[in-house]
Amino acid sequence: MPNRHRIRATTLAATAAVLVSFPLIGRATAPTAASPPPSTLNLSSQTLNWKDCPAPSASEGGGSAPVPLPTGGRWQCATMKTPLNWNDPKGATIGIALIRVKASGPPEQRIGSLIFNFGGPGGSGVSTLPSFAPDYTTLGTRYDLVSFDPRGVGRSAGVICENNQQLDTYFQQDAVPSTAAEQQTYLNAIRQFNHACEVNAGRLLPYLRTTDAARDMDLMRQVLGDARLHYFGISYGTELGGVYAHLFPQNVGRMVLDAVVDPTQSPAESALGQARGFQRALEDYARNCVAQSAGCPVGSTAQDVQNRIVALLKSLDSKPLPGLPPRVLTRTAATSGIAQALYSKAFWTYLTVGLQQAYAGDGKVLMLLADAMNGRNESGQYNNLMSANVSINCADQRARYTVADVKAKLPQFRAASPVFGDFLAWGMLSCTDWPVAGAAAHADVSAPGSAPILVVGNTGDPATPYEGTRRMVQALGAGVAVELTFKGEGHGSYDSGNACVQDVVNSYLLHGKVPPVGKVCT
């Protein structure tokens, strides 16, 4: 699982055939400067050369070129130049890959561009937006729907650390080391990956912070011709949106933050919160399974379902199952696959089938889920999600944890989750030995003077637990954020298909209508 096997957070991709990946939330800081330096004015006046979109690159996940929407809208792609180093805006530039489909309604009703970030860090907006576009048909009547590959991702100077074969080996390793030898092997793998990042992308690594991406977004706003930024951020995209609001409060238009990252937490606190969140989702899955009239094929009671999973993982630690030859299903892969299936209630069926097969000695389905988590396609190619995820997180977060730190916190993590606790605790070593210093302890998202921001939290979210929603609201500041609660399951709210959530969000984005305080959707 990317980022040293810490469970990643993004929105759920809209395809069941190729189960998507879910990057881990990162940390960011925000300098106090409120506007781009004057020397970037030449970049803000650049003209984008929009053309029909090619097929996604390997680093974006591959696949076919996006097809026109049922409304007739055609996908167009372009590249925007932005400074590599925002402290040296007259220096070298990099390209930011953009995708858009123009608003389908009457031109006089067009509001502007609605920019999406679907999570990560590390997710490709260029390859993701076409998959989700049917969910945004209503919004697309008055907005140009726009997304992008953030710096370090996909076609935007995408970071590549290890190759496909090396990543296969990396994801086969034991991410829950129980002996001194296993710990050393695990640390060696981290050092090897980090060194590969430095060798292959060292020039980029200091400039991959969330604050850099937020500045890119403000340049994007100007280049697209919008007086204010209208934005829809999901998962890590909520942190990016909060950082943008902190840097450019006067430029915030209509902004939605869905599946909310807690901006107040350290990476260790975030990992512990995810352990609790995924455990809660697993318990919800288990209760749902045993409540089925046909019975639950993976346990007689909710506790039995969980006990059997714990026993499976323990057995895989010493005896992996046949998976997708030549690879086998290890404890690491099984844990990744289980986590992947908890991102949406719609995926719970895959988890049941995967567990059934694993108990019968076949690890294929859980391994397919793990591959989706890790950004590996059927041909064995990885997108650059892993590399970008680690690079951006480590550029953002100041913390550099040690084995001693992990061992000290293991009791807390195990109490939080017998399934995911060890896994997430050892993931705290993600940025150990990273070649670039991290920026801050956590994000600064305070945004006094910003227009109202709609913050949407899902009570059953495993990856960005609901508790973080209120903390984001408080951190944005008095009079800025308006909270909407969805009592649901899975990661995110709008793309769950809940009509109440979509009605509230659409009303806000299309008509500027802010919901009443305490609004709850079920």
Side-chain angles (χ1 to χ4, degrees), residues 84-86 151 206-217:
L84 170 64
N85 178 2
W86 273 101
R151 55 173 60 212
Y207 310 113
L208 299 179
R209 297 165 298 180
T210 298
T211 49
D212 296 318
R215 292 182 181 281
D216 293 340
M217 283 208 305

Side-chain angles (χ1 to χ4, degrees), residues 91-105:
T93 62
I94 57 173
I96 301 296
L98 307 179
I99 188 170
R100 76 172 181 186
V101 62
K102 290 184 177 180
S104 61

Side-chain angles (χ1 to χ4, degrees), residues 44-112:
S44 66
S45 62
Q46 65 186 287
T47 300
L48 299 177
N49 183 21
W50 293 102
K51 296 181 178 179
D52 287 346
C53 292
S57 66
S59 60
E60 290 172 314
S64 302
V67 299
L69 295 176
T71 59
R74 298 184 64 85
W75 293 102
Q76 297 177 309
C77 288
T79 300
M80 179 189 79
K81 290 183 179 180
T82 193
L84 170 64
N85 178 2
W86 273 101
N87 290 325
D88 181 21
K90 291 184 178 180
T93 62
I94 57 173
I96 301 296
L98 307 179
I99 188 170
R100 76 172 181 186
V101 62
K102 290 184 177 180
S104 61
E108 64 272 14
Q109 295 182 10
R110 179 181 176 274
I111 296 171

Side-chain angles (χ1 to χ4, degrees), residues 476-501:
L476 285 167
V480 174
V482 179
E483 183 177 352
L484 170 66
T485 295
F486 171 47
K487 292 186 176 180
E489 296 288 346
H491 186 43
S493 300
Y494 189 93
D495 290 313
S496 72
N498 181 268
C500 172
V501 172

Side-chain angles (χ1 to χ4, degrees), residues 31-45 80-83 85-90 211-223 227 244 247-251:
T32 57
S35 60
S39 51
T40 63
L41 291 178
N42 60 324
L43 290 177
S44 66
S45 62
M80 179 189 79
K81 290 183 179 180
T82 193
N85 178 2
W86 273 101
N87 290 325
D88 181 21
K90 291 184 178 180
T211 49
D212 296 318
R215 292 182 181 281
D216 293 340
M217 283 208 305
D218 199 62
L219 178 61
M220 195 181 307
R221 172 192 65 79
Q222 297 171 69
V223 172
Y244 179 91
L247 284 171
F248 307 104
Q250 74 282 4
N251 294 342

Side-chain angles (χ1 to χ4, degrees), residues 92-372:
T93 62
I94 57 173
I96 301 296
L98 307 179
I99 188 170
R100 76 172 181 186
V101 62
K102 290 184 177 180
S104 61
E108 64 272 14
Q109 295 182 10
R110 179 181 176 274
I111 296 171
S113 302
L114 181 61
I115 298 176
F116 290 81
N117 181 282
F118 295 96
S124 166
V126 171
S127 62
T128 302
L129 180 58
S131 297
F132 281 104
D135 292 345
Y136 307 125
T137 300
T138 300
L139 297 175
T141 60
R142 300 190 65 193
Y143 286 101
D144 296 347
L145 304 181
V146 179
S147 194
F148 63 107
D149 289 353
R151 55 173 60 212
V153 177
R155 284 197 173 97
S156 299
V159 174
I160 299 293
C161 297
E162 293 189 324
N163 62 33
N164 294 327
Q165 293 73 30
Q166 290 169 322
L167 287 174
D168 270 348
T169 300
Y170 183 87
F171 288 120
Q172 288 278 278
Q173 71 172 318
D174 187 352
V176 185
S178 55
T179 67
E182 289 176 350
Q183 289 173 23
Q184 191 57 54
T185 299
Y186 182 63
L187 289 171
N188 288 343
I190 291 173
R191 292 189 183 105
Q192 178 179 312
F193 183 90
N194 289 353
H195 179 67
C197 293
E198 184 177 18
V199 170
N200 295 324
R203 180 181 78 102
L204 294 169
L205 300 185
Y207 310 113
L208 299 179
R209 297 165 298 180
T210 298
T211 49
D212 296 318
R215 292 182 181 281
D216 293 340
M217 283 208 305
D218 199 62
L219 178 61
M220 195 181 307
R221 172 192 65 79
Q222 297 171 69
V223 172
L224 292 171
D226 293 321
R228 292 180 179 268
L229 180 85
H230 306 299
Y231 177 76
F232 199 135
I234 304 166
S235 193
Y236 162 79
T238 67
E239 183 170 313
L240 176 57
V243 169
Y244 179 91
H246 172 74
L247 284 171
F248 307 104
Q250 74 282 4
N251 294 342
V252 173
R254 297 173 186 173
M255 179 177 286
V256 174
L257 307 180
D258 182 5
V260 185
V261 170
D262 186 339
T264 69
Q265 291 184 324
S266 69
E269 291 167 336
S270 174
L272 183 60
Q274 285 194 319
R276 296 189 182 109
F278 275 91
Q279 181 65 28
R280 182 166 54 200
L282 183 64
E283 291 169 359
D284 290 347
Y285 157 78
R287 283 191 291 268
N288 178 270
C289 187
V290 299
Q292 301 303 309
S293 58
C296 179
V298 292
S300 56
T301 66
Q303 189 60 53
D304 184 44
V305 172
Q306 295 179 69
N307 290 345
R308 293 189 69 188
I309 290 173
V310 171
L312 171 66
L313 297 177
K314 184 177 180 180
S315 69
L316 291 173
D317 203 23
S318 57
K319 189 178 180 181
L321 291 176
L324 297 172
R327 297 176 301 142
V328 295
L329 182 73
T330 61
R331 176 175 178 172
T332 299
T335 307
S336 295
I338 293 167
Q340 173 77 330
L342 295 175
Y343 274 92
S344 170
K345 191 173 182 178
F347 277 20
W348 287 2
T349 299
Y350 292 105
L351 179 53
T352 298
V353 172
L355 291 172
Q356 280 183 282
Q357 292 190 1
Y359 295 145
D362 183 352
K364 288 187 180 66
V365 170
L366 287 182
M367 178 157 272
L368 282 169
L369 286 163
D371 283 350

